[in-house]
Amino acid sequence: MEAHYPKYLLYCLLIAGSWLLSCVLHFQYFQSLSSSFTPPRRAALVVLPAALDASFLPSPTVEADDKTVVPSSPSPSSPPPPPPPCEGRYVYMLNLPSRFDMLRDCVDGSPLFDDIWSWCAITVNAGLGPKISPAAGNGTAGIIPSTGCTDQYALEVMFHNWMRRYECLTDDPSTATAVYVPYYPALELHQHLCGYNTTARDGPSEAFLRWLSSQPTWAALGGRDHFMVAAKTTWMFRRDPGAGDDGCGNNFLGQPEVANMSVLTYESNIWAPRDIAVPYPSYFHPSSSGEVSTWQSRARAAHRPFLFAFAGARRLKGQLAIRDRVFDVCEASARCGMVDCSHGLEGSITCRTAAKLVGLFTSARFCLQPRGDSFMRRSSIDSVMAGCIPVFFHRASTLEAQYRWHEPEETTGGRRSNGDGDGRRRRYYVLLNSDDVLEGRVDIEEELSRYSDEEVAAMREEVIRMIPRFMYRDPRVRFEGEKMRDAFDITMDGMMDRMRRIKNGEDVALKGEDDSDEAAMAANDS
């Protein structure tokens, strides 16, 4: 038996060697096979217990290009994919002939830029006007100086610059929900506002409307899907056709072509609404929501030593009695801050100085807003930007009556009767009857003194919360990924909704337009 040990040992070595060689060959084969495939990016290695079948596990998650995709079959109950972000919001912008370009003379080196009364001066800085240099102690450093000294009639230029960057522009008018007309009727009228015969005032805009109504885009709906901006109040474009050469303004909004269009003005006729009011541009044009929040915080923290404030000018020969009364009250009270704009050119320049106006309005609790040449004032928007509670003397002057797209839709509490018994909300503004003030039944200072510190703080907070809705951001920027919407955004939301309803044959009356509402407003105006 011992003689066979070498043979048995040889058999064992051969078997062991064969087994080892087989293992090595199998290992190399599977290694080369696996190396021919690129593993998924960030694929997780799942190790199953020996007794667990893989069919009990959910489908594996595979990551491709840093986006997680879970393989699954579509479910009949799954919601449809969201529509494209521009669906129902496409806008076609007309190209106008050069003869209708109001800025054709505003070229580099033109002396018109040095004339503060020239429309060229208001077009710089994307329509925001010349940049405001920092001024120590005015409370606006870091916010207001970064924008511009914006002219109140600059919205046509600002809006055009904003529309050039509108994310839903299209070159195909057949796919557009609306057609934007970049004509500047206010700047055109500015050249011959007053002191010209009716032919000089009406002729240029009539020639433009003849051209516009001959365009292919007009034929589809007769201009009902067209919209534009006219940066003055509605009254400057509604001259009585039967009037003579005296007076100011033209009849642009009275032309039959314009009757079909949607026109954005600073003030609309609330008794016969045909155009839509949008806010005047103020001095605050932020580049981010962070700037807005910073400015709101400053408005909350501002020291306000004055009970009320007013900035404006008297009218010749007592044409506006309520303004004279406001002047008399302010001049007689140590609790009123005032900027007097009555002294010719000097007064006008003073009231164009952002630092003076912002400094005044951030130092007062209430800001008086008596009507001027029309019911709505740019000062009302300036007071909102400063967190100053506006005080109105006519229903038609209120933000509620004019800016129905921008004024908050929902408010609660905070009512105060003021003796007029109509039960309207008093959350963020005060409305005094002008007749009661003029006839001595209401004393402005006494009435405003009745509001407690708590009431004032609550009203001011509502005003400050409204700032984003009434401001126009820098038209060259977009608040990427942020929910804050400014006056541009809200205007376009309202306009696109209006245009969709027009194309669907629906009623396009603005919110709150009913006979009883307008009758109540008319009854309270004087």
Side-chain angles (χ1 to χ4, degrees), residues 251-294:
N251 192 35
F252 178 71
L253 292 180
Q255 300 298 323
E257 296 90 345
V258 183
N260 281 354
M261 300 173 61
S262 296
V263 182
L264 304 172
T265 63
Y266 288 146
E267 176 185 333
S268 64
N269 180 357
I270 63 174
W271 299 280
R274 282 178 49 193
D275 38 63
I276 304 160
V278 293
Y280 281 92
S282 187
Y283 298 116
F284 182 39
H285 308 291
S287 298
S288 69
S289 62
E291 288 186 358
V292 181
S293 299
T294 298

Side-chain angles (χ1 to χ4, degrees), residues 45-46 78 168 189 244 252 460 482 485:
L45 177 63
V46 179
S78 297
C168 296
L189 179 60
F252 178 71
R460 180 165 58 244
E482 302 177 29
R485 303 186 69 73

Side-chain angles (χ1 to χ4, degrees), residues 99-102 104-105 117-119 156 183-208 232 235-239 244-252:
R99 67 181 183 276
F100 299 127
D101 180 8
M102 300 309 304
R104 59 184 177 272
D105 295 328
W117 307 110
S118 166
W119 57 88
E156 291 167 344
Y183 180 61
Y184 302 165
L187 290 189
E188 188 281 314
L189 179 60
H190 184 75
Q191 302 173 94
H192 34 250
L193 183 62
C194 304
Y196 292 82
N197 61 43
T198 55
T199 301
R201 282 182 274 155
D202 292 343
S205 61
E206 289 176 351
F208 169 74
K232 288 186 183 294
W235 315 107
M236 296 307 298
F237 302 107
R238 295 192 183 281
R239 180 187 55 78
D245 292 340
D246 296 334
C248 300
N250 63 19
N251 192 35
F252 178 71

Side-chain angles (χ1 to χ4, degrees), residues 242-441:
D245 292 340
D246 296 334
C248 300
N250 63 19
N251 192 35
F252 178 71
L253 292 180
Q255 300 298 323
E257 296 90 345
V258 183
N260 281 354
M261 300 173 61
S262 296
V263 182
L264 304 172
T265 63
Y266 288 146
E267 176 185 333
S268 64
N269 180 357
I270 63 174
W271 299 280
R274 282 178 49 193
D275 38 63
I276 304 160
V278 293
Y280 281 92
S282 187
Y283 298 116
F284 182 39
H285 308 291
S287 298
S288 69
S289 62
E291 288 186 358
V292 181
S293 299
T294 298
W295 180 247
Q296 288 174 308
S297 298
R298 292 188 181 191
R300 290 187 184 96
H303 176 55
R304 299 179 184 268
F306 295 118
L307 175 64
F308 55 104
F310 171 69
R314 291 182 183 266
R315 291 297 184 265
L316 296 175
K317 302 177 182 179
Q319 292 175 344
L320 286 175
I322 187 63
R323 281 225 171 184
D324 290 338
R325 177 57 59 88
V326 167
F327 263 93
D328 293 342
V329 169
C330 267
E331 289 174 346
S333 174
R335 304 175 74 186
C336 178
M338 185 169 66
V339 171
D340 188 352
C341 310
S342 304
H343 306 294
L345 179 61
E346 179 184 354
S348 180
I349 293 176
T350 297
C351 281
R352 286 170 174 244
T353 305
K356 289 184 179 295
L357 295 179
V358 175
L360 173 66
F361 291 157
T362 53
S363 66
R365 291 185 165 198
F366 298 94
C367 287
L368 307 183
Q369 305 298 339
R371 64 163 296 179
D373 297 327
S374 60
F375 288 107
M376 204 64 232
R377 304 183 69 212
R378 186 260 187 63
S379 177
S380 300
I381 308 302
D382 289 339
S383 69
V384 169
M385 294 301 112
C388 186
I389 301 166
V391 179
F392 300 109
F393 299 84
H394 305 85
R395 180 76 66 193
S397 298
T398 63
L399 309 183
E400 179 184 12
Q402 291 290 345
Y403 303 135
R404 302 187 179 193
W405 285 349
H406 298 77
E407 195 254 359
E409 294 183 358
E410 296 181 4
T411 59
T412 57
R415 291 186 176 182
R416 188 178 181 88
S417 69
N418 282 333
D420 59 12
D422 64 0
R424 288 178 177 269
R425 61 194 180 211
R426 295 291 183 272
R427 182 70 179 266
Y428 65 86
Y429 71 88
V430 176
L431 177 62
L432 303 179
N433 188 293
S434 60
D435 288 338
D436 289 343
V437 173
L438 290 172
E439 295 171 14
R441 292 188 293 271

